[in-house]
Amino acid sequence: MAVTVQEVQDCFFITANGCFDVEDCRQLKQAIAAAKAAGISNVLVDCERLTAVTTGALREVLSQTSAAEVAGINLLFYGVQPKIQEIIDKTGLNSVLRIVQGLQEAYFYCRKHSS
């Protein structure tokens, strides 16, 4: 899978393409660490082009969600396809992950919850 990270103002944008696996989670972990170091409080993950996610990646995403919360970073996922949302719902991660419909909702969430 290809993961790209861009910094725009007070946000890190991560775009995920294809199958999201444990290796890709390392890039998510690095982005969260870089956001913390830069004093950026929002990491937004665009999942629109995400086609699959591995079980190991889901475990790692859960771990990174906790790390982001401890660091005071809003970690949001948006554009999640129904197939991926179904997997998230079945694993119960929908109660832990912050998932919004689109970029606009993610932006408004971050504005409301930034310190």
PDB file of all heavy atoms in Angstrom, residues 18-39:
ATOM      1  N   GLY A  18      -5.038   1.308  -1.092  1.00  0.00           N
ATOM      2  CA  GLY A  18      -4.870  -0.141  -1.187  1.00  0.00           C
ATOM      3  C   GLY A  18      -5.109  -0.843   0.132  1.00  0.00           C
ATOM      4  O   GLY A  18      -6.012  -0.510   0.883  1.00  0.00           O
ATOM      5  N   CYS A  19      -4.286  -1.830   0.430  1.00  0.00           N
ATOM      6  CA  CYS A  19      -4.406  -2.618   1.658  1.00  0.00           C
ATOM      7  C   CYS A  19      -3.535  -2.019   2.756  1.00  0.00           C
ATOM      8  O   CYS A  19      -2.346  -1.806   2.567  1.00  0.00           O
ATOM      9  CB  CYS A  19      -3.988  -4.065   1.396  1.00  0.00           C
ATOM     10  SG  CYS A  19      -4.083  -5.106   2.864  1.00  0.00           S
ATOM     11  N   PHE A  20      -4.138  -1.756   3.898  1.00  0.00           N
ATOM     12  CA  PHE A  20      -3.431  -1.174   5.036  1.00  0.00           C
ATOM     13  C   PHE A  20      -2.931  -2.315   5.916  1.00  0.00           C
ATOM     14  O   PHE A  20      -3.715  -3.121   6.409  1.00  0.00           O
ATOM     15  CB  PHE A  20      -4.389  -0.264   5.814  1.00  0.00           C
ATOM     16  CG  PHE A  20      -3.723   0.651   6.778  1.00  0.00           C
ATOM     17  CD1 PHE A  20      -3.011   1.749   6.332  1.00  0.00           C
ATOM     18  CD2 PHE A  20      -3.820   0.435   8.136  1.00  0.00           C
ATOM     19  CE1 PHE A  20      -2.393   2.610   7.232  1.00  0.00           C
ATOM     20  CE2 PHE A  20      -3.217   1.289   9.035  1.00  0.00           C
ATOM     21  CZ  PHE A  20      -2.504   2.381   8.583  1.00  0.00           C
ATOM     22  N   ASP A  21      -1.594  -2.384   6.094  1.00  0.00           N
ATOM     23  CA  ASP A  21      -1.015  -3.466   6.884  1.00  0.00           C
ATOM     24  C   ASP A  21      -0.139  -2.905   8.006  1.00  0.00           C
ATOM     25  O   ASP A  21      -0.065  -1.699   8.203  1.00  0.00           O
ATOM     26  CB  ASP A  21      -0.236  -4.438   5.996  1.00  0.00           C
ATOM     27  CG  ASP A  21       0.914  -3.775   5.246  1.00  0.00           C
ATOM     28  OD1 ASP A  21       1.406  -2.713   5.671  1.00  0.00           O
ATOM     29  OD2 ASP A  21       1.329  -4.342   4.210  1.00  0.00           O
ATOM     30  N   VAL A  22       0.522  -3.794   8.732  1.00  0.00           N
ATOM     31  CA  VAL A  22       1.334  -3.391   9.883  1.00  0.00           C
ATOM     32  C   VAL A  22       2.452  -2.439   9.464  1.00  0.00           C
ATOM     33  O   VAL A  22       2.765  -1.483  10.180  1.00  0.00           O
ATOM     34  CB  VAL A  22       1.893  -4.629  10.625  1.00  0.00           C
ATOM     35  CG1 VAL A  22       2.839  -4.221  11.731  1.00  0.00           C
ATOM     36  CG2 VAL A  22       0.739  -5.450  11.197  1.00  0.00           C
ATOM     37  N   GLU A  23       3.058  -2.677   8.316  1.00  0.00           N
ATOM     38  CA  GLU A  23       4.124  -1.787   7.831  1.00  0.00           C
ATOM     39  C   GLU A  23       3.609  -0.361   7.653  1.00  0.00           C
ATOM     40  O   GLU A  23       4.276   0.605   7.994  1.00  0.00           O
ATOM     41  CB  GLU A  23       4.695  -2.316   6.510  1.00  0.00           C
ATOM     42  CG  GLU A  23       5.834  -1.483   5.971  1.00  0.00           C
ATOM     43  CD  GLU A  23       7.061  -1.471   6.879  1.00  0.00           C
ATOM     44  OE1 GLU A  23       7.344  -2.470   7.540  1.00  0.00           O
ATOM     45  OE2 GLU A  23       7.734  -0.426   6.922  1.00  0.00           O
ATOM     46  N   ASP A  24       2.409  -0.228   7.136  1.00  0.00           N
ATOM     47  CA  ASP A  24       1.808   1.092   6.961  1.00  0.00           C
ATOM     48  C   ASP A  24       1.552   1.762   8.310  1.00  0.00           C
ATOM     49  O   ASP A  24       1.625   2.978   8.430  1.00  0.00           O
ATOM     50  CB  ASP A  24       0.501   0.989   6.176  1.00  0.00           C
ATOM     51  CG  ASP A  24       0.714   0.394   4.801  1.00  0.00           C
ATOM     52  OD1 ASP A  24       1.674   0.806   4.114  1.00  0.00           O
ATOM     53  OD2 ASP A  24      -0.075  -0.488   4.419  1.00  0.00           O
ATOM     54  N   CYS A  25       1.272   0.952   9.315  1.00  0.00           N
ATOM     55  CA  CYS A  25       1.042   1.496  10.654  1.00  0.00           C
ATOM     56  C   CYS A  25       2.296   2.156  11.209  1.00  0.00           C
ATOM     57  O   CYS A  25       2.202   3.084  12.011  1.00  0.00           O
ATOM     58  CB  CYS A  25       0.561   0.399  11.597  1.00  0.00           C
ATOM     59  SG  CYS A  25      -1.126  -0.110  11.253  1.00  0.00           S
ATOM     60  N   ARG A  26       3.452   1.698  10.790  1.00  0.00           N
ATOM     61  CA  ARG A  26       4.698   2.345  11.222  1.00  0.00           C
ATOM     62  C   ARG A  26       4.733   3.792  10.732  1.00  0.00           C
ATOM     63  O   ARG A  26       5.191   4.682  11.436  1.00  0.00           O
ATOM     64  CB  ARG A  26       5.901   1.565  10.722  1.00  0.00           C
ATOM     65  CG  ARG A  26       6.074   0.246  11.426  1.00  0.00           C
ATOM     66  CD  ARG A  26       7.390  -0.440  11.068  1.00  0.00           C
ATOM     67  NE  ARG A  26       7.432  -1.729  11.727  1.00  0.00           N
ATOM     68  CZ  ARG A  26       7.330  -2.896  11.099  1.00  0.00           C
ATOM     69  NH1 ARG A  26       7.217  -2.927   9.793  1.00  0.00           N
ATOM     70  NH2 ARG A  26       7.368  -4.018  11.769  1.00  0.00           N
ATOM     71  N   GLN A  27       4.231   4.019   9.515  1.00  0.00           N
ATOM     72  CA  GLN A  27       4.175   5.387   8.997  1.00  0.00           C
ATOM     73  C   GLN A  27       3.169   6.217   9.789  1.00  0.00           C
ATOM     74  O   GLN A  27       3.399   7.394  10.043  1.00  0.00           O
ATOM     75  CB  GLN A  27       3.822   5.377   7.511  1.00  0.00           C
ATOM     76  CG  GLN A  27       4.948   4.812   6.658  1.00  0.00           C
ATOM     77  CD  GLN A  27       4.566   4.747   5.202  1.00  0.00           C
ATOM     78  OE1 GLN A  27       3.782   3.903   4.804  1.00  0.00           O
ATOM     79  NE2 GLN A  27       5.114   5.668   4.431  1.00  0.00           N
ATOM     80  N   LEU A  28       2.070   5.603  10.184  1.00  0.00           N
ATOM     81  CA  LEU A  28       1.097   6.295  11.033  1.00  0.00           C
ATOM     82  C   LEU A  28       1.743   6.660  12.366  1.00  0.00           C
ATOM     83  O   LEU A  28       1.601   7.790  12.844  1.00  0.00           O
ATOM     84  CB  LEU A  28      -0.131   5.414  11.256  1.00  0.00           C
ATOM     85  CG  LEU A  28      -1.203   5.957  12.197  1.00  0.00           C
ATOM     86  CD1 LEU A  28      -1.771   7.274  11.685  1.00  0.00           C
ATOM     87  CD2 LEU A  28      -2.316   4.923  12.385  1.00  0.00           C
ATOM     88  N   LYS A  29       2.480   5.725  12.943  1.00  0.00           N
ATOM     89  CA  LYS A  29       3.176   5.966  14.211  1.00  0.00           C
ATOM     90  C   LYS A  29       4.180   7.114  14.065  1.00  0.00           C
ATOM     91  O   LYS A  29       4.260   8.004  14.919  1.00  0.00           O
ATOM     92  CB  LYS A  29       3.895   4.692  14.657  1.00  0.00           C
ATOM     93  CG  LYS A  29       4.595   4.801  15.982  1.00  0.00           C
ATOM     94  CD  LYS A  29       5.217   3.467  16.365  1.00  0.00           C
ATOM     95  CE  LYS A  29       5.847   3.532  17.742  1.00  0.00           C
ATOM     96  NZ  LYS A  29       6.364   2.229  18.160  1.00  0.00           N
ATOM     97  N   GLN A  30       4.926   7.124  12.961  1.00  0.00           N
ATOM     98  CA  GLN A  30       5.896   8.201  12.713  1.00  0.00           C
ATOM     99  C   GLN A  30       5.197   9.547  12.541  1.00  0.00           C
ATOM    100  O   GLN A  30       5.684  10.573  13.024  1.00  0.00           O
ATOM    101  CB  GLN A  30       6.740   7.877  11.485  1.00  0.00           C
ATOM    102  CG  GLN A  30       7.695   6.729  11.704  1.00  0.00           C
ATOM    103  CD  GLN A  30       8.352   6.254  10.414  1.00  0.00           C
ATOM    104  OE1 GLN A  30       7.948   6.617   9.314  1.00  0.00           O
ATOM    105  NE2 GLN A  30       9.376   5.421  10.561  1.00  0.00           N
ATOM    106  N   ALA A  31       4.054   9.552  11.875  1.00  0.00           N
ATOM    107  CA  ALA A  31       3.313  10.796  11.676  1.00  0.00           C
ATOM    108  C   ALA A  31       2.805  11.343  13.000  1.00  0.00           C
ATOM    109  O   ALA A  31       2.858  12.556  13.239  1.00  0.00           O
ATOM    110  CB  ALA A  31       2.145  10.579  10.711  1.00  0.00           C
ATOM    111  N   ILE A  32       2.338  10.466  13.879  1.00  0.00           N
ATOM    112  CA  ILE A  32       1.871  10.901  15.198  1.00  0.00           C
ATOM    113  C   ILE A  32       3.035  11.471  16.008  1.00  0.00           C
ATOM    114  O   ILE A  32       2.912  12.513  16.643  1.00  0.00           O
ATOM    115  CB  ILE A  32       1.164   9.747  15.941  1.00  0.00           C
ATOM    116  CG1 ILE A  32      -0.156   9.427  15.226  1.00  0.00           C
ATOM    117  CG2 ILE A  32       0.922  10.101  17.401  1.00  0.00           C
ATOM    118  CD1 ILE A  32      -0.810   8.138  15.694  1.00  0.00           C
ATOM    119  N   ALA A  33       4.183  10.800  15.965  1.00  0.00           N
ATOM    120  CA  ALA A  33       5.371  11.294  16.680  1.00  0.00           C
ATOM    121  C   ALA A  33       5.820  12.637  16.112  1.00  0.00           C
ATOM    122  O   ALA A  33       6.174  13.548  16.877  1.00  0.00           O
ATOM    123  CB  ALA A  33       6.499  10.271  16.595  1.00  0.00           C
ATOM    124  N   ALA A  34       5.807  12.771  14.795  1.00  0.00           N
ATOM    125  CA  ALA A  34       6.207  14.036  14.164  1.00  0.00           C
ATOM    126  C   ALA A  34       5.224  15.151  14.510  1.00  0.00           C
ATOM    127  O   ALA A  34       5.626  16.294  14.750  1.00  0.00           O
ATOM    128  CB  ALA A  34       6.294  13.867  12.652  1.00  0.00           C
ATOM    129  N   ALA A  35       3.937  14.825  14.541  1.00  0.00           N
ATOM    130  CA  ALA A  35       2.923  15.818  14.911  1.00  0.00           C
ATOM    131  C   ALA A  35       3.140  16.285  16.344  1.00  0.00           C
ATOM    132  O   ALA A  35       3.090  17.489  16.629  1.00  0.00           O
ATOM    133  CB  ALA A  35       1.524  15.234  14.744  1.00  0.00           C
ATOM    134  N   LYS A  36       3.411  15.349  17.231  1.00  0.00           N
ATOM    135  CA  LYS A  36       3.666  15.697  18.631  1.00  0.00           C
ATOM    136  C   LYS A  36       4.890  16.595  18.732  1.00  0.00           C
ATOM    137  O   LYS A  36       4.855  17.625  19.419  1.00  0.00           O
ATOM    138  CB  LYS A  36       3.859  14.432  19.468  1.00  0.00           C
ATOM    139  CG  LYS A  36       4.110  14.715  20.930  1.00  0.00           C
ATOM    140  CD  LYS A  36       4.287  13.432  21.714  1.00  0.00           C
ATOM    141  CE  LYS A  36       4.594  13.748  23.165  1.00  0.00           C
ATOM    142  NZ  LYS A  36       4.835  12.544  23.944  1.00  0.00           N
ATOM    143  N   ALA A  37       5.966  16.244  18.047  1.00  0.00           N
ATOM    144  CA  ALA A  37       7.201  17.034  18.088  1.00  0.00           C
ATOM    145  C   ALA A  37       7.002  18.437  17.524  1.00  0.00           C
ATOM    146  O   ALA A  37       7.610  19.394  17.993  1.00  0.00           O
ATOM    147  CB  ALA A  37       8.310  16.316  17.323  1.00  0.00           C
ATOM    148  N   ALA A  38       6.130  18.543  16.527  1.00  0.00           N
ATOM    149  CA  ALA A  38       5.892  19.842  15.878  1.00  0.00           C
ATOM    150  C   ALA A  38       4.794  20.646  16.569  1.00  0.00           C
ATOM    151  O   ALA A  38       4.505  21.768  16.163  1.00  0.00           O
ATOM    152  CB  ALA A  38       5.532  19.626  14.411  1.00  0.00           C
ATOM    153  N   GLY A  39       4.176  20.069  17.587  1.00  0.00           N
ATOM    154  CA  GLY A  39       3.097  20.763  18.280  1.00  0.00           C
ATOM    155  C   GLY A  39       1.797  20.800  17.480  1.00  0.00           C
ATOM    156  O   GLY A  39       0.948  21.654  17.700  1.00  0.00           O
TER     157      GLY A  39
END
